[in-house]
């Protein structure tokens, strides 16, 4: 979404004003320098965060331990890969539009291929979020069918299917974008201008407005069911089966973060057809022109919203770390942060061995090492240590 709301309008603006004086970049630098500052300062921060955190996130979620019987780990792991690819492509795009460095816009094939490539992760990411949101809905609201629909194999197949679908939609960008050697620029030609506007508006509304709204509705249904379950004290707060090690609160947080970043960008995109720049003239005249003032104010707000949208591709690591206990443990293990052990970890690990409390009901008979049977009228508890020695304690129910 960040690219589509940005590049399509910017390319048309560049096409209309590139040969005029003052130039497009000069207008922004002179009349609204904050626009360039936002692009050149905030975007690199998200690049550093995302390109550092996303590979760590991918390694953890797609590790054998995390993805075993945990279909949600497949979705979030693939999502991290998609975010990494998008950030790398966005750097190339930002060199062209924010810094004025020609990257892919001076090559015939790269013009079409690049615009297709950068749209794929933008289409793919919200569809992945929708997929694991629906899966979470099945796990929480229809637990009796979760073993059938919430499997690792099905998650892989769904991810592949959504990727193929995203590639098919993005492939039309190769038809929309053209390289113009006489100008050395990359923009949609005049004959496809109407198709480009209709197609872009349709895909934007479906993938970046309708899909987040669907995610919101499904999340509301999940939250209502969790509240009902909690009220009845029938099941624990964290539903297992589909998620395994992935808590419901983690996936809900990711879904809501997607909604908070994509919906404002969709609204800003809808306004770009209404708010247009004024007539080009000298700087003083444009600075006093109310049409240009309104347009520059819109572009400033738009840049802020776009940076918020860009954070969607960089900051999921923090959501996973804050809301997911198993993810935190894997991060500490991966980064060797032993001194960051929580108080809960310290209490469960003694200096000599670790203990696991196993309960047995009245129907179970446990043999002691002496060979006698304990047929109890009350539950028994066994302390099992790592050195394979068993300590038996008879106790009443807690």
């Amino acid at each position: 979404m960040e690219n589509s709301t940005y590049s399509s309008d910017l390319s048309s603006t560049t096409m209309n004003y590139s040969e005029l004086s003052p130039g497009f970049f000069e207008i922004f630098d002179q009349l609204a320098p904050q626009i360039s500052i936002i692009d050149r300062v905030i975007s690199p921060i998200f690049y550093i965060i995302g390109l550092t955190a996303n590979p760590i996130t991918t390694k953890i979620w797609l590790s054998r331990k995390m993805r075993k019987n945990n279909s949600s780990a497949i979705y979030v792991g693939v999502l991290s890969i998609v975010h990494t690819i998008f950030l790398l492509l966005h750097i190339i795009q930002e060199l062209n539009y924010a810094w004025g460095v020609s990257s892919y816009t001076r090559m015939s094939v790269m013009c079409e291929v690049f615009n297709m490539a950068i749209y794929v992760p933008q289409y793919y990411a919200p569809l992945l979020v929708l997929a694991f949101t629906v899966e979470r809905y099945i796990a929480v609201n229809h637990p009796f069918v979760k073993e059938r629909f919430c499997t690792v194999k099905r998650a892989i197949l769904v991810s592949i299917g959504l990727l193929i679908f995203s590639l098919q939609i993005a492939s039309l960008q190769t038809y929309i974008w053209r390289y113009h050697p006489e100008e050395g620029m990359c923009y949609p030609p005049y004959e496809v201008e109407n198709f480009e506007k209709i197609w872009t508006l349709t895909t934007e509304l479906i993938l970046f407005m309708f899909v987040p709204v669907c995610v919101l509705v499904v999340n509301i249904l999940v939250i209502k069911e969790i509240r009902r379950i909690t009220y009845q004290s029938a099941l624990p707060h964290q539903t297992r089966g589909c998620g395994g090690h992935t808590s419901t609160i983690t996936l809900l947080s990711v879904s809501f973060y997607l909604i908070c970043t994509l919906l404002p960008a969709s609204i800003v995109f809808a306004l770009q057809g209404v708010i247009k720049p004024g007539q080009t003239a000298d700087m003083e005249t444009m600075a006093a022109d109310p049409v240009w003032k309104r347009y520059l104010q819109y572009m400033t707000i738009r840049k802020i919203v776009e940076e918020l949208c860009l954070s969607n591709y960089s900051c999921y690591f923090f959501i996973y770390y804050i809301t997911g206990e198993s993810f935190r443990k894997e991060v500490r293990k991966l980064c060797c942060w032993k001194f960051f052990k929580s108080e809960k970890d310290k209490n469960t690990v003694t200096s000599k061995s670790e203990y696991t409390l196993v309960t047995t009901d009245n129907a179970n008979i446990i043999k002691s090492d002496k060979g006698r049977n304990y047929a109890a009228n009350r539950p028994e508890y066994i302390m099992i240590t790592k050195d394979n020695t068993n300590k038996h304690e008879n106790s009443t129910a807690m």
Side-chain angles (χ1 to χ4, degrees):
M1 181 67 192
E2 199 276 341
N3 170 69
S4 22
T5 59
Y6 177 46
S7 63
S8 61
D9 181 65
L10 197 57
S11 62
S12 61
T13 306
T14 306
M15 177 181 63
N16 294 331
Y17 298 102
S18 60
E19 298 180 355
L20 299 176
S21 181
F24 177 80
F25 290 102
E26 185 181 352
I27 293 175
F28 275 17
D29 289 340
Q30 294 293 326
L31 301 183
Q34 68 275 9
I35 295 177
S36 299
I37 292 174
I38 292 172
D39 261 342
R40 298 174 182 179
V41 174
I42 300 180
S43 292
I45 295 175
F46 287 128
Y47 295 152
I48 295 173
I49 294 174
L51 294 178
T52 303
N54 286 339
I56 297 175
T57 303
T58 302
K59 179 177 177 59
I60 292 175
W61 284 122
L62 295 184
S63 63
R64 179 177 299 180
K65 177 182 178 181
M66 295 294 282
R67 72 174 187 267
K68 183 180 181 181
N69 298 324
N70 183 10
S71 55
S72 296
I74 302 296
Y75 291 116
V76 293
V78 174
L79 187 63
S80 300
I81 297 175
V82 173
H83 287 170
T84 303
I85 294 173
F86 174 78
L87 290 176
L88 293 173
L89 294 173
H90 194 271
I91 292 175
I92 300 174
Q93 184 200 52
E94 200 79 346
L95 288 173
N96 187 75
Y97 288 116
W99 296 89
V101 178
S102 297
S103 50
Y104 64 92
T105 57
R106 291 191 179 275
M107 302 172 64
S108 179
V109 178
M110 283 299 298
C111 171
E112 293 83 358
V113 173
F114 179 85
N115 281 284
M116 171 188 168
I118 200 168
Y119 274 84
V120 173
Q122 293 179 89
Y123 295 155
Y124 194 26
L127 292 176
L128 285 172
V129 175
L130 177 63
F132 69 65
T133 303
V134 172
E135 186 186 69
R136 184 57 36 175
Y137 168 80
I138 295 173
V140 174
N141 294 56
H142 304 280
F144 295 107
V145 298
K146 66 183 180 182
E147 298 297 333
R148 176 184 174 186
F149 292 101
C150 304
T151 63
V152 173
K153 182 178 179 181
R154 186 178 291 271
I156 294 174
L157 294 176
V158 170
S159 299
I160 295 174
L162 293 178
L163 175 59
I164 295 173
F165 178 71
S166 301
L167 286 169
Q168 290 175 338
I169 299 177
S171 63
L172 275 175
Q173 299 300 326
T174 59
Y175 169 74
I176 293 174
W177 292 84
R178 290 289 186 276
Y179 173 70
H180 301 267
E182 64 280 0
E183 302 175 24
M185 297 178 61
C186 177
Y187 59 86
Y190 176 77
E191 56 268 20
V192 300
E193 183 177 342
N194 291 331
F195 173 79
E196 185 267 339
K197 290 181 179 179
I198 296 173
W199 176 253
T200 302
L201 179 62
T202 302
T203 54
E204 294 281 331
L205 292 178
I206 293 176
L207 293 170
F208 304 119
M209 184 170 286
F210 179 73
V211 169
V213 169
C214 290
V215 171
L216 176 62
V217 172
V218 175
N219 280 338
I220 292 174
L221 295 176
V222 171
I223 292 173
K224 288 179 63 177
E225 182 66 14
I226 291 176
R227 291 184 62 182
R228 186 187 68 82
I229 291 174
T230 304
Y231 179 78
Q232 295 179 352
S233 299
L235 290 175
H237 293 269
Q238 179 171 333
T239 305
R240 299 186 181 273
C242 272
H245 305 302
T246 310
S247 65
T248 300
I249 191 64
T250 298
L251 299 182
L252 287 175
S253 301
V254 170
S255 299
F256 278 114
Y257 192 73
L258 174 80
I259 295 168
C260 293
T261 53
L262 287 192
L263 285 182
S266 300
I267 296 173
V268 168
F269 170 76
L271 293 175
Q272 75 176 2
V274 178
I275 304 176
K276 295 290 185 179
Q279 296 294 326
T280 55
D282 59 273
M283 288 294 181
E284 294 182 359
T285 303
M286 287 190 295
D289 187 356
V291 177
W292 272 104
K293 286 182 178 180
R294 185 180 67 166
Y295 177 74
L296 294 175
Q297 290 173 353
Y298 162 74
M299 286 301 299
T300 302
I301 297 174
R302 174 171 167 171
K303 288 299 175 184
I304 296 173
V305 173
E306 286 172 357
E307 295 302 326
L308 176 65
C309 188
L310 184 62
S311 70
N312 184 62
Y313 298 89
S314 306
C315 300
Y316 280 175
F317 173 87
F318 303 105
I319 296 177
Y320 301 143
Y321 191 85
I322 293 172
T323 61
E325 182 180 354
S326 59
F327 185 82
R328 284 197 300 272
K329 291 180 180 179
E330 293 300 317
V331 171
R332 294 166 186 167
K333 186 186 301 183
L334 182 64
C335 300
C336 300
W337 294 346
K338 295 182 179 180
F339 52 93
F340 280 115
K341 284 185 177 179
S342 63
E343 291 298 326
K344 184 178 179 180
D345 295 334
K346 293 179 181 178
N347 292 336
T348 55
V349 181
T350 64
S351 59
K352 294 183 180 180
S353 59
E354 295 180 358
Y355 296 91
T356 302
L357 189 63
V358 180
T359 64
T360 60
D361 55 22
N362 295 340
N364 293 333
I365 299 177
I366 303 177
K367 273 190 180 178
S368 70
D369 50 359
K370 294 182 181 180
R372 63 190 182 88
N373 293 337
Y374 291 86
N377 293 324
R378 52 189 178 180
E380 296 179 351
Y381 299 87
I382 308 171
M383 289 294 187
I384 304 175
T385 64
K386 275 189 171 181
D387 55 5
N388 296 327
T389 59
N390 294 341
K391 297 180 181 180
H392 301 270
E393 296 180 5
N394 294 331
S395 172
T396 60
M398 293 182 180

